[in-house]
Amino acid sequence: MTSSPSTASIPVTDGAAGTDAAPSKKLRNRHVTMITLGGIIGSSLFVGSANVISQVGPAALFSYAIGGLLVMLAMRMLGEMATARPTIGSFMEYARSGLGEWAGYLVGWLYWYFWVGVVAYEAVIGGAILHGWFNAVPSWVFAIALLVVFIATNLVSLRSFGEVEFWLASVKVAAIIVFIALGALFIFGIWPNSTPGISHLWDVGGFAPNGVWPIISGVAIVIFSYFGTEIAVMAAAESEDPVRGVRQATNTIVWRILLFYVGSVFLIVSIVPWNGLPDPDQQGPFAFLFSRYGIPGADLFMTAVILTAVCSVLNSGIYSASRMFASIAERGFAPKLVARKAKNGVPVVAVIASTLGGFVAVLVSFLFPDSGIFDFIMNSSGLVALFVYAFIALTQVRLRNKMSAEERAGLQLKMWLHPWLAYATVAAVVGIVVIMLVSGPSTQVQVGTSLVSVAVLVVVWPFVRRNLKKSGQYGKPITEAIEREA
């Protein structure tokens, strides 16, 4: 196939997909499709949704919808930049190009730190689930074993990661589709022993029994459930058709949020009174409703699904952290050794280094449970999602404004109402942070510890900048390019 004038070489960043990997080593379209579908489905939906419902009531629907709107806007802006410039360390490189070296440095390290914490957390959760099935084996052994398994999955090849993620995501998507299908039959009175109707949306204290404020504060909780959507964009950059993958990930985000999150929460609060859900530590809302459907072994089934979700997040978390770490190193923000890749294109050092923090956090959580170290790691990465969304919005505005009229006309995916919706996204991020500051001790701790991690990076930045200038990498122009085929 030959390139047409409209698909000429476009500039991308160092380490961009396509510059160093043969097509046979890249992710296939079906991998990207399933990563896109399953990217936002985690244990936070299967279990954590009960916490939001218990605080907000049926109006949790609005919390999830508002949070989903913010994610949709961020993904649209990221999609605009990524279709024009597909790159593995996407938001870091875009922030660097649009706002300056300091922005790329902050975004890259914060994003990496976030996934290190997530990997540790999911390993602990997975270890606890397996320990519940096999009591003779300590949970920390299972946690370490899970880390080893998914390190190996990521090291074998990019295709190995994609294939494993394809099947893990397939299980999650299938479970939600079954849940929604049965829930719809239950609501319409078609399912055996079901009671038709949706009166539970208002019959216990009204639709918003605790008032309007919990709806807004609930957004601060649910926004973190959606974080991980951007993995699809990162994976698309290493696929056989990066631009197609990015467009797919961006254009399907609306119905994914509506179906998987808003749709599931609608069924939960319609079938069960909002204050009738069990403690999620004892039984998650999905398992509880499957029991109401009369499905035998509902608890075991949902526990297996949750374990699948945990494994999926572990797999994709190691992938995301390692790719960002390699991009950080390529830009000179970390030792060059981290960016080294094996013959199969996998950044081996980055994969291993990104999971060392997970091993340390897992061991600390079991050996020194009262030290507070594990809690600090979890809390100090809590605002990263919001920081990334704000940087994406500011970067998109800056990069669009730098474009010529011809370049803007050639964009394959455009942000709506530029630049006003981008500014609205930044305002929403600021508003959520303010809400977290006034909502109570737990969210205040998240804000405080997250700012500590930012402060550490700010203090170190002058030294990193000096090294960049010495090596000639400070402000280094983007020189690599890929060809998009017609």
Coordinates of all heavy atoms in Angstrom, one line a residue, residues 54 90 116 254 263 339 362 462:
S54 N -24.2 3.6 48.9 CA -24.5 3.7 50.3 C -24.4 5.2 50.8 O -25.1 5.6 51.7 CB -23.7 2.9 51.2 OG -22.3 3.3 51.1
S90 N 2.2 8.6 25.7 CA 1.4 9.7 25.1 C 1.3 11.0 26.0 O 1.8 12.0 25.6 CB 0.1 9.1 24.8 OG -0.6 8.5 25.9
V116 N 2.4 1.9 39.9 CA 3.1 1.1 40.9 C 2.3 0.8 42.1 O 2.2 -0.3 42.6 CB 4.4 1.8 41.3 CG1 5.1 1.1 42.5 CG2 5.4 1.9 40.1
V254 N -18.2 6.6 25.4 CA -19.5 7.0 25.9 C -20.4 5.8 26.2 O -20.9 5.7 27.3 CB -20.2 7.9 24.8 CG1 -21.6 8.3 25.3 CG2 -19.4 9.2 24.6
G263 N -25.3 1.8 33.5 CA -26.3 0.7 33.4 C -26.3 -0.3 34.5 O -27.4 -0.6 35.1
A339 N 15.4 2.3 29.6 CA 14.7 2.3 28.3 C 15.2 1.2 27.4 O 14.6 1.0 26.3 CB 15.0 3.6 27.6
V362 N 3.9 -4.9 48.8 CA 3.2 -6.1 49.2 C 3.8 -6.7 50.5 O 3.1 -7.0 51.5 CB 3.3 -7.2 48.1 CG1 2.9 -8.6 48.6 CG2 2.3 -6.8 46.9
P462 N 14.9 20.6 39.4 CA 16.1 21.4 39.0 C 17.3 20.6 38.7 O 18.1 20.9 37.8 CB 16.4 22.3 40.3 CG 15.0 22.5 40.9 CD 14.4 21.1 40.7

